[in-house]
Amino acid sequence: MKAYLYAIFAIILWSTLALLSLQLQAVPPFLLVGVSLTIGSICGLPWLRDWKVPFSTLALGIYGLFGYHFFLFMALRNAPPVEANLINYLWPLLIVVLSPLFLRHFVLNSKHLIAVSLGLVGAFLLVTGGKYTLSSEGLLGYSFAALAAFMWASYSLLLKKVKPFPTGAVGLFCLVSGLLSIVCHHFLERSYSISSSDIRFLVLLGIGPMGVAFFLWDKALKLGDPRIIGSLSYLTPLLSTMLLIAFGGG
């Protein structure tokens, strides 16, 4: 039960991402991710001794946190955002359907498939408003979005499969991924000076959905059933939309 509470708290934090990002629309995406992940790494400082992990473990963290965000933002640069975002929301479905491939002792049944399919349909309706078209011009972006979804799903499943490592190491994952994102900002985006008004929301973003949420997600996947956690993840677009409506953002 504790694993699903960790997952739900991570999902609640991720649902604030869109609302906080609305206040930071002027900040280039890679800079936004880079600064917020770097701030998020501070959440791991109390467990600094846990940052001493093998390179293979660090590579997994970079694959998940940096790789996912890199390809998601490349998707948004090369395809219509609504369609790219919907394809990105395949990751909870992929967590469920790939569970038996990554973790042999997990078997799918009709309940898992029905639950995750209903979640995908709900995400479809929320993200697109029931109107959805694919354009051939966005094919590259759609491919990036699908790759991002696969990377986050596979990272999540590998947390349960690889040699155990302490959750505190997620702070190192955040730091290295944040610095790599800042490098991407330097080469791929226009220069931008962070204003004093940006700082407050960047700190909230870094501590919450780009910080503590990743630590909670790590604990949830290590302790819980990925088939259930994947299905629960479709609460993210629902809660995100509700928050946007409640605070006048959509």
Side-chain angles (χ1 to χ4, degrees):
M1 188 62 182
K2 188 181 291 187
Y4 308 119
L5 290 176
Y6 287 138
I8 288 170
F9 282 125
I11 288 164
I12 290 171
L13 288 173
W14 282 333
S15 70
T16 66
L17 182 63
L19 184 63
L20 291 171
S21 297
L22 273 181
Q23 311 302 319
L24 296 162
Q25 287 180 310
V27 182
F30 279 113
L31 180 62
L32 180 68
V33 170
V35 173
S36 55
L37 278 176
T38 304
I39 293 171
S41 70
I42 295 172
C43 301
L45 289 180
W47 301 278
L48 191 60
R49 66 179 64 185
D50 293 339
W51 288 23
K52 294 181 180 180
V53 293
F55 178 77
S56 58
T57 301
L58 175 59
L60 173 64
I62 295 170
Y63 169 82
L65 271 65
F66 173 72
Y68 168 72
H69 288 101
F70 177 83
F71 284 106
L72 176 58
F73 286 123
M74 291 303 292
L76 295 172
R77 288 164 67 99
N78 290 278
V82 170
E83 286 83 352
N85 199 30
L86 179 61
I87 294 172
N88 168 56
Y89 271 125
L90 288 171
W91 65 260
L93 172 70
L94 290 174
I95 287 177
V96 175
V97 299
L98 294 177
S99 292
L101 296 178
F102 281 79
L103 308 165
R104 301 283 180 167
H105 54 290
F106 286 100
V107 179
L108 294 182
N109 60 41
S110 57
K111 290 185 293 184
H112 301 122
L113 295 174
I114 290 170
V116 77
S117 298
L118 287 172
L120 180 61
V121 170
F124 174 91
L125 292 173
L126 283 168
V127 173
T128 68
K131 301 175 181 177
Y132 180 64
T133 56
L134 287 174
S135 63
S136 58
E137 292 82 7
L139 186 59
L140 179 62
Y142 301 146
S143 301
F144 285 145
L147 181 57
F150 174 80
M151 292 182 80
W152 186 252
S154 57
Y155 164 75
S156 299
L157 291 169
L158 286 169
L159 291 174
K160 202 175 186 73
K161 185 178 177 67
V162 299
K163 184 179 179 180
F165 62 88
T167 294
V170 173
L172 177 63
F173 301 169
C174 289
L175 178 61
V176 176
S177 299
L179 294 176
L180 287 171
S181 296
I182 291 172
V183 171
C184 288
H185 160 69
H186 178 75
F187 288 104
L188 298 174
E189 297 175 331
R190 59 181 173 82
S191 60
Y192 179 85
S193 297
I194 295 173
S195 68
S196 56
S197 61
D198 293 333
I199 293 174
R200 176 178 52 173
F201 292 105
L202 282 168
V203 169
L204 289 173
L205 195 66
I207 292 175
M210 300 296 284
V212 171
F214 293 127
F215 291 83
L216 293 170
W217 189 250
D218 181 85
K219 293 287 287 184
L221 266 297
K222 285 176 178 174
L223 296 175
D225 185 334
R227 299 165 299 181
I228 297 174
I229 294 171
S231 298
L232 285 173
S233 299
Y234 275 121
L235 285 169
T236 307
L238 173 63
L239 295 175
S240 178
T241 302
M242 290 173 65
L243 284 174
L244 286 171
I245 293 170
F247 288 91

